[in-house]
Amino acid sequence: MTRGKQVELIDEIAEEAFAILGTGQQVAPFSLRYPALDLATAYKVAAQVRDMRGARGENAIGRKIGFTNRAVWGGYGILAPIWNYMFDSTVKDLTAANETFALVDLPEPRIEPEIVLHLTSAPHAGMTERELFDCIDWVAHCFEIVHSIFPGWAFKAADAVAAYGVHSALLLGDRHEISRKPAQWAEALSSFTVELVGDDGTSRPGHAQNVLGGPLKALQFLVEELARYPASEPLRPGELVTTGTLTEAMPVGIGQTWSTQLSGIDIQGLRLRFR
């Protein structure tokens, strides 16, 4: 593909993705209509969509890592994790006084319990897990709400990247400083368990190891992946990184309430009602 053709491809996909953002619309996967779309090109689309969102006042404040749970790859036809940007318009605090989320204009939404890392310094490729841990000042439990602009959640990895990383919102629980007990937190982050429970009795178990072996390993993947693609900006101090779903991502609907219980880590579970 010539450079001019690639630029035209990126522009067309980015403009379509941006145009349907927040509309509730679904479209055929980009990869079916643009066979030349590969992962490297999709990350250029993601950067362009980020800039388009920035032009209307949305500021990128972190990254989401998607499909870190290998157990779900087969169901999506995914062979490796992906990442995308999160924005000040999509990241919110989840408090006892604010435990609801509106599902309006989100096609086929799902809920994912995750762990968020807050960077106090910039990590770089080649760092060990211990060195990456030292780049973090606090962690939090969260729910990521995801959706698919592609019917039936049928797409390739490049489609998911171009479509905002399927990210809708990140709802943050309490922050937990980790510098005072680094050894305990490092151990807990690789060994805790979680249960996601719906108000109808539906339950899904999860484990820290489900996200590429633990949240720190997921961060390590992200740092190395960013270094592979020139269009990707390196992580900066102050960014949030959410490290992928610890359980199966569950479909959600208006009127439902979901909650989590964590064991083996000093973090309380969360509760969220959809409206």
Side-chain angles (χ1 to χ4, degrees):
M1 186 190 316
T2 66
R3 178 174 176 79
K5 287 290 187 181
Q6 186 186 50
V7 170
E8 183 179 338
L9 173 67
I10 293 167
D11 287 345
E12 287 184 12
I13 296 176
E15 287 172 9
E16 181 177 356
F18 182 71
I20 64 175
L21 178 63
T23 67
Q25 290 180 258
Q26 290 183 300
V27 297
F30 299 126
S31 60
L32 293 180
R33 295 176 282 143
Y34 302 94
L37 178 66
D38 58 13
L39 205 53
T41 304
Y43 280 122
K44 293 179 180 179
V45 172
Q48 189 153 315
V49 172
R50 175 206 61 204
D51 292 344
M52 295 167 81
R53 295 179 75 160
R56 71 179 187 185
E58 296 180 77
N59 299 306
I61 61 171
R63 320 291 172 101
K64 63 83 46 88
I65 315 174
F67 304 107
T68 51
N69 192 334
R70 294 184 179 93
V72 305
W73 286 359
Y76 296 105
I78 298 292
L79 300 176
I82 63 164
W83 67 271
N84 213 297
Y85 296 95
M86 301 188 296
F87 300 84
D88 54 7
S89 57
T90 66
V91 177
K92 308 292 181 184
D93 287 334
L94 183 61
T95 66
N98 181 27
E99 290 185 336
T100 65
F101 181 80
L103 290 175
V104 62
D105 293 331
L106 292 183
E108 301 186 49
R110 299 185 179 188
I111 187 171
E112 299 183 343
E114 306 192 6
I115 291 293
V116 176
L117 312 174
H118 181 263
L119 300 178
T120 187
S121 59
H124 58 77
M127 278 187 165
T128 64
E129 284 187 54
R130 176 64 213 198
E131 291 170 330
L132 289 171
F133 182 90
D134 290 339
C135 293
I136 302 162
D137 57 352
W138 58 259
V139 303
H141 179 33
C142 70
F143 286 132
E144 186 181 15
I145 311 303
V146 295
H147 73 283
S148 176
I149 65 171
F150 312 115
W153 282 82
F155 48 73
K156 295 182 178 179
D159 293 306
V161 169
Y164 345 111
V166 303
H167 173 74
S168 303
L170 190 78
L171 308 175
L172 281 169
D174 293 339
R175 282 78 160 158
H176 297 269
E177 301 289 337
I178 62 175
S179 59
R180 294 181 182 178
K181 298 180 179 180
Q184 292 92 322
W185 277 105
E187 169 62 25
L189 283 170
S190 66
S191 61
F192 73 91
T193 61
V194 61
E195 185 176 20
L196 175 65
V197 182
D199 56 3
D200 64 352
T202 300
S203 176
R204 292 293 186 273
H207 195 285
Q209 295 287 313
N210 287 350
V211 291
L212 298 179
L216 290 174
K217 288 187 180 296
L219 175 61
Q220 191 171 48
F221 158 81
L222 176 61
V223 173
E224 300 292 339
E225 191 75 349
L226 291 173
R228 290 179 58 197
Y229 294 101
S232 305
E233 290 188 355
L235 292 166
R236 302 181 304 275
E239 284 201 63
L240 298 170
V241 176
T242 191
T243 51
T245 186
L246 298 157
T247 70
E248 177 185 353
M250 297 302 294
V252 295
I254 293 173
Q256 292 182 350
T257 297
W258 291 82
S259 61
T260 53
Q261 298 175 347
L262 285 77
S263 300
I265 193 169
D266 191 19
I267 295 179
Q268 291 188 331
L270 298 175
R271 182 178 181 275
L272 180 63
R273 181 174 63 84
F274 292 100
R275 56 182 173 82

